[in-house]
Every structure is written in structure tokens, then in C-alpha cells.
Amino acid sequence: MENIHSINPYNNQVLEKYKPFSDADIKLVLNKTEAAFLEWKKESLENRVELLHNLADLLIKNKERYSVLMAREMGKPVSQAVAEVEKCAWACEFYAENAVDFLSDDLIETEAGESFISYDPIGSVLAIMPWNFPFWQVIRCAAPTLTAGNTLILKHASNVPGCAMALEELFLSAGYPEGCFQVILADHKQLEVVMESDIVQGVSLTGSEKAGRAIASLAGKNLKKSVMELGGNNACVVWEDADLDKHLDTMVSARMQNNGQSCIAAKRFIVVEEIYEEFLSKFRDKVKALKSGDPLDSNVDIGVLAREDLGDDLAKQVDKSIDMGAKVDLGNSRDGAYYEPTILTGVKPGMPAFDEELFGPVAAVIKAKDRADALALATKSRFGLGTMLFTEDIDTALKAIGEIPDGAFFVNEMVKSDPRLPFGGTKASGYGRELSLEGILEFVNKKTVYIGK
């Protein structure tokens, strides 16, 4: 088997080479996770919580090293990588503070002498994670899953093996027993073997719709619990009374942070015609002011896409949209893995820029007739991850909640994940929830206990 190469997308430098796991290695990982689970599930919740504090401390202590690693492996601006590590520590502290309450027996009054719901771990969980937030996506899955008493096997994206190995080292350094958190460098056929093993009882995937369908099908075939956090084509709806001067920076960040490579990014800006020209002018000026360059420069806003081929895919979607009538208002040049921040106008349903997820720094600006038309356009999507609405009319905005079939509805703020709130989507954006109470209960056996009088 060929080595896995970690490559800096900014300069194409090979950072490190990693040896893929053999079938024997995979078997050893499965045996270790099974043995670890038999002991880990007996560990007191108080001790598991203490390890969360250790994780948080180590994340903060090593945040500079981890952020540089992310910037080098997938092109994220280093300042944003620092914020990612800090958010990981926040999630660990959140579960440390709340896990005991979340996992306590839930007493239910019946005619029994006592009846309650016990939340028991189910076994080993396979986490298939993406490259765009290489620490956050893993931590937000692993922290609650391990704290509930499960063990975890991480199959990370192939272009961030260094991050995967750093995470395994992190959990061991925090005091987690060997076998609780393990990394595998595996191919698709080996993943099938892992999924088919009776040792693995659940799978959590964050990734593309295509990957989600394949893994969900395999999970269903083997009757394994699954959580799917897939793509998004989030709308940013701007009504005529929106305070642009107050919220434009947020709107730009909602599209351009992480080089535009976020499932919850604002991808379609749907603006009522009364304010359209003003919005476009101010939005364009803000995007022009973004600084592009070396991701390791702390002053850089836009780095590079994680791989050059991702730029090829994005360019095809943009070019097809242009062929169908969309106009380039700003940008649309590229150099290798660098894609210039771009604004498209004249975007309509049926174009890739409207219908598909554009995973990069390209904003589609769409004119709506009025508020009702804007909401109708927002919901005209196969995806259902999140919608954001900017308006000063909060009462009317709240009445629109039921019209938005997404997993999140944010008013005067960008859609974002927060440890205190459940996160997940509908339709082609997947199913299940991460974070909050719902996240820690995804991979537990909600066991009914009934004690007669």
C-alpha cells in the first residue's frame, strides 16, 4: 500500500508520510477498543468528567501547535485555527459541567415501586470525520461519546493525518485508557470491515451527501445506530429593514470564514429588491477588503482551499452557473488551491450556484421581490442545515420559524454550532443531533428499568 502524504496546500510541500493500516492493524484496533470498552463503561462518571477537564487544559496549552498544524495541513488561516482549538476546549468544559445531569437516571412515575430510564453506553463508535474543521468536528463527537462510556475509533480525512495523530496523542496525554480513542488510517474496504464488526455499535459521519448515503446504507444493513451531519446550502435572507452597517461583517464571515469551506456557511444571500443595490455595494466592499495570503500569517483572512482538486470542482460549478446566466460581480480567479473571494449575481434556481453546495469562498447574491418571496427562495433547497434572517422586525421573524424546515434558524446572527445547543440538519443535510443534551444521548441505550412493588 502507498504511503499517505500530508501536503501543505499553500505551497505543495510534503509535510509528512504515514503508513496506511494493514488488515491486521485494523483487527488489533477492534480488539483493543472492545477490551477498553469492557473496562471503560465501569469507570465512574466523575472520573470521566475529570478527564474532560484534562482535555480542555491540554487543548489550551497546545493551541499554538495545533493551530499551526491545521493551517499547514488544510490551509485554514491560523487565527481561525486558534479559535477552533479554543472552541474545542469550551465543548469539553461544557460537558464536564453538565454530563452528570445529562446522564443521570430519569425517574418516571408509574404504578411501579420505582421506574426510570437508565442511559447506558452502547459500545464502540466509529467516527468518520472531515478535513474542514479537523479538531472541532472530532472533539464535538468524541467528548460526549466517550463521556457516556463508549469508546471511539476515528477515521479522519486522508489529507489531515497529522491532525488525527495529534488528537490520539491528546486523548492519551489527558489520561484516557489505551484503546478508548484510536485512529485508523484505512481505505473504504477496511471501513466496511469495521462497520460490519459486532464490536462497533454506532457510526457518526460528518461529510458529503454522497459519503453519508454510502455509510448510512452500510449502517442500516448492519443495524447500527448512525448520525449523519452532511452538506448544506444555507440561505442568508436579508429583509428591507436589516441593519447592514451593524451586521455586514457577520454576513461576510458567514460566507468567507474557513476559506468558505463550511457546511453551515451562508451560501445563498437572498435580498429583497428594496435594499438589494445597497447590500451588494456594501457587501462587495467588505469582501474586497479581505486579506489573502499565507495561512500562517495571523493577519490573513483567506488562505487556500484544502486541496487543488477542490478548486477544480468549485470552478466547474461557477462556470456552469455563468453559462446559465449568472454574472461575476467580483473575483473568480484562482491559482492552484487559492480561490479568490467571489460574488455572483443573477443567480436563479436551476443553476449550480443556487441548487448545489459551493464549498469555497463564492457568494451567490439573489434578488427577491419581497419578504415572502425571500423566504420561499430560501426554502427552495434539497438541503436543510440552517437559515439565517437579518431584520429589525423580530416578531415577524419569529412567525417564520415554522416556514423554515431546517435544523437551525438564526436571526441577526450567522448559523454556528454551540456546545449548549443541538446541531444537525434535515433532508439532504442528514439526521441526528450533535452537542447539547441531544448529542450525548445519541449513542446510549435508553433503557427502561421497572421495579415492581
Side-chain angles (χ1 to χ4, degrees):
M1 292 185 285
E2 294 184 2
N3 285 333
I4 297 171
H5 292 80
S6 171
I7 299 174
N8 185 334
Y10 180 70
N11 56 22
N12 289 318
Q13 175 189 357
V14 176
L15 302 172
E16 194 67 65
K17 298 177 182 179
Y18 298 86
K19 183 179 178 182
F21 279 34
S22 66
D23 293 345
D25 293 330
I26 298 295
K27 186 176 181 179
L28 180 61
V29 166
L30 288 169
N31 290 339
K32 285 176 70 174
T33 199
E34 181 180 37
F37 172 67
L38 294 176
E39 297 302 318
W40 179 243
K41 69 178 182 178
K42 302 173 188 174
E43 191 70 49
S44 72
L45 184 52
E46 289 72 21
N47 286 347
R48 292 186 214 143
V49 163
E50 188 60 35
L51 295 182
L52 286 173
H53 288 302
N54 294 350
L55 274 179
D57 291 344
L58 286 171
L59 283 162
I60 297 302
K61 179 181 178 181
N62 295 295
K63 67 180 179 180
E64 299 300 330
R65 176 164 67 92
Y66 294 151
S67 60
V68 168
L69 175 59
M70 281 188 272
R72 296 181 73 201
E73 276 206 318
M74 53 75 59
K76 181 193 304 288
V78 70
S79 60
Q80 296 176 26
V82 169
E84 179 173 338
V85 178
E86 291 172 345
K87 190 171 184 178
C88 290
W90 176 28
C92 292
E93 292 291 2
F94 169 79
Y95 278 111
E97 293 168 6
N98 293 282
V100 172
D101 287 339
F102 288 165
L103 296 170
S104 294
D105 294 342
D106 191 2
L107 297 175
I108 307 292
E109 278 198 33
T110 67
E111 66 277 7
E114 187 177 10
S115 53
F116 58 92
I117 302 169
S118 175
Y119 299 104
D120 300 345
I122 61 172
S124 183
V125 174
L126 172 65
I128 304 173
M129 293 291 129
W131 46 260
N132 57 333
F133 292 93
F135 270 67
W136 171 241
Q137 306 279 15
V138 175
I139 292 294
R140 79 181 190 191
C141 171
T145 299
L146 288 170
T147 304
N150 303 294
T151 55
L152 190 135
I153 297 171
L154 170 63
K155 163 58 177 77
H156 219 326
S158 59
N159 60 326
V160 288
C163 290
M165 294 305 180
L167 283 159
E168 185 175 68
E169 175 193 48
L170 169 68
F171 278 86
L172 286 171
S173 298
Y176 284 82
E178 190 172 343
C180 271
F181 181 102
Q182 297 178 89
V183 168
I184 55 172
L185 302 178
D187 60 25
H188 294 297
K189 291 187 73 173
Q190 290 172 318
L191 271 186
E192 288 189 22
V193 171
V194 174
M195 286 284 295
E196 290 169 354
S197 170
D198 290 338
I199 295 169
V200 172
Q201 292 299 307
V203 58
S204 179
L205 178 139
T206 298
S208 69
E209 179 188 350
K210 180 180 178 181
R213 289 185 182 276
I215 295 300
S217 176
L218 193 56
K221 175 184 174 183
N222 291 281
L223 298 178
K224 305 290 175 69
K225 175 66 187 290
S226 60
V227 170
M228 297 287 137
E229 200 277 274
L230 309 179
N233 193 10
N234 289 6
C236 175
V237 177
V238 185
W239 282 352
E240 77 288 342
D241 65 340
D243 188 337
L244 297 183
D245 292 334
K246 181 178 180 181
H247 297 301
L248 260 172
D249 285 337
T250 297
M251 296 182 202
V252 172
S253 293
R255 171 65 279 198
M256 298 297 172
Q257 73 169 1
N258 204 39
N259 308 325
Q261 300 168 120
S262 173
C263 56
I264 55 173
K267 300 183 174 80
R268 297 175 297 145
F269 290 81
I270 302 172
V271 187
V272 296
E273 59 183 358
E274 186 177 331
I275 200 175
Y276 177 85
E277 294 298 337
E278 180 188 358
F279 169 85
L280 183 58
S281 176
K282 291 182 175 181
F283 186 74
R284 182 192 304 121
D285 288 343
K286 292 283 187 181
V287 173
K288 277 184 179 179
L290 296 173
K291 181 180 178 182
S292 299
D294 187 342
L296 291 174
D297 182 344
S298 60
N299 295 312
V300 159
D301 303 301
I302 301 290
V304 291
L305 300 179
R307 299 191 311 268
E308 191 167 334
D309 64 290
L310 297 171
D312 296 335
D313 295 339
L314 182 59
K316 289 176 184 176
Q317 292 172 300
V318 170
D319 289 345
K320 186 174 180 181
S321 298
I322 294 170
D323 290 342
M324 296 175 73
K327 304 296 182 184
V328 176
D329 182 82
L330 180 71
N332 198 35
S333 68
R334 59 179 294 230
D335 180 10
Y338 171 71
Y339 205 107
E340 182 183 10
T342 298
I343 299 174
L344 298 179
T345 59
V347 174
K348 301 183 185 306
M351 298 179 182
F354 189 99
D355 295 345
E356 301 174 9
E357 179 176 32
L358 271 58
F359 219 61
V362 178
V365 182
I366 300 148
K367 185 186 295 185
K369 297 175 185 176
D370 51 30
R371 292 183 176 191
D373 186 38
L375 289 178
L377 287 167
T379 59
K380 195 177 181 64
S381 176
R382 295 174 53 255
F383 298 94
L385 198 51
T387 292
M388 55 205 82
L389 170 61
F390 288 85
T391 177
E392 294 299 291
D393 188 355
I394 304 302
D395 289 340
T396 304
L398 293 177
K399 293 175 183 177
I401 293 174
E403 299 179 44
I404 304 296
D406 295 6
F409 181 57
F410 279 55
V411 179
N412 292 334
E413 183 56 272
M414 60 189 286
V415 174
K416 54 188 175 183
S417 54
D418 183 318
R420 300 163 295 187
L421 298 169
F423 180 85
T426 61
K427 300 188 285 186
S429 292
Y431 53 81
R433 292 294 180 265
E434 294 183 294
L435 302 173
S436 178
L437 167 65
E438 287 80 1
I440 202 169
L441 297 184
E442 282 287 5
F443 293 108
V444 298
N445 175 20
K446 302 177 180 74
K447 182 185 294 179
T448 295
V449 179
Y450 188 102
I451 301 171
K453 292 182 179 177

